[in-house]
Amino acid sequence: MTRPLSLGADAVLALIPHRRPFVFLDGVEGFARAPRPTLSGHKQISVNEPVFAGHFPGMSLWPGVYTVEGMGQTINALLVVLAIIEGFEARGLTEDDALAALRNIDARQRMGRRRLSELERELLEGLGSPAERVGLASALDVKLIEPVYAGCTLRYRVTLDRALGSARRFAVEATVDGRPVARGAMTSALPLATPT
């Protein structure tokens, strides 16, 4: 069962290597480690997105490839969250400790909260810079079901289905107002190193 994990843009930028204008994950909404690792997030599609200047002028149609990329970025964030949890547990801490540290790097939640402890900071920094991490999709089997337009909130849900060697297969879905707009599977060919 997915539990709430509210992380905003600052936390997302700490997790993934992508930068504006190519960030298609605005925030994280939920996480589950069992029975299968799952992460849900969202992208608020503004009419001010740079792509709308040339993609179907006169009609603010969100490119389907951006939806696919957003699901890929959500996969990347899930892999980093799992690596952070594993790093915390290797030091005798818990999953809850790791999630609390993630919440504390989010600017929206830092106000009035405690600062990161030295150990939390060390473990989070053990992942290195987000720019040092890359994700690579080696196989895509995603169907675009409905068009997406400006003004929508695009919600992503990615679930780790299988892991074999360095390959990870994810079930992916994107929805708008509860209706699926894209669905399928993505396979990642590069694992994320666990922090030491």
Side-chain angles (χ1 to χ4, degrees):
M1 173 116 133
T2 303
R3 60 197 266 194
L5 178 62
S6 179
L7 301 175
D10 292 317
V12 167
L13 292 175
L15 296 174
I16 65 175
H18 307 81
R19 292 297 174 258
R20 294 177 186 94
F22 206 66
V23 176
F24 302 125
L25 176 63
D26 289 342
V28 170
E29 299 172 346
F31 169 75
R33 192 169 180 195
R36 294 182 300 167
T38 301
L39 192 75
S40 56
H42 69 275
K43 166 71 176 160
Q44 182 64 45
I45 301 172
S46 165
V47 73
N48 296 320
E49 300 285 348
V51 71
F52 291 137
H55 193 260
F56 285 84
M59 180 174 27
S60 300
L61 179 64
W62 185 246
V65 69
Y66 284 13
T67 299
V68 173
E69 176 62 26
M71 292 185 292
Q73 291 178 15
T74 307
I75 287 171
N76 200 330
L78 172 60
L79 291 174
V80 174
V81 168
L82 291 171
I84 288 170
I85 291 169
E86 290 169 8
F88 271 55
E89 289 176 342
R91 293 289 193 89
L93 299 170
T94 67
E95 176 181 323
D96 287 338
D97 294 326
L99 297 180
L102 282 170
R103 287 183 190 99
N104 281 330
I105 64 173
D106 187 24
R108 298 174 310 152
Q109 300 188 33
R110 273 192 301 228
M111 301 302 289
R113 294 210 181 189
R114 67 176 175 78
R115 295 185 186 272
L116 289 175
S117 71
E118 247 347 274
L119 179 57
E120 288 173 328
R121 187 182 292 49
E122 178 185 330
L123 289 169
L124 291 173
E125 289 173 358
L127 286 172
S129 161
E132 295 170 359
R133 295 189 290 273
V134 295
L136 174 66
S138 61
L140 296 174
D141 182 14
V142 175
K143 291 185 176 33
L144 300 174
I145 301 166
E146 285 189 23
V148 177
Y149 300 97
C152 294
T153 300
L154 190 55
R155 298 196 184 284
Y156 309 116
R157 183 177 176 90
V158 300
T159 301
L160 177 60
D161 272 342
R162 282 181 240 149
L164 180 61
S166 66
R168 307 281 184 272
R169 182 175 170 91
F170 298 86
V172 297
E173 182 177 57
T175 62
V176 171
D177 296 330
R179 292 184 332 274
V181 296
R183 175 184 295 147
M186 299 173 80
T187 304
S188 171
L190 292 178
L192 179 73
T194 303
T196 56

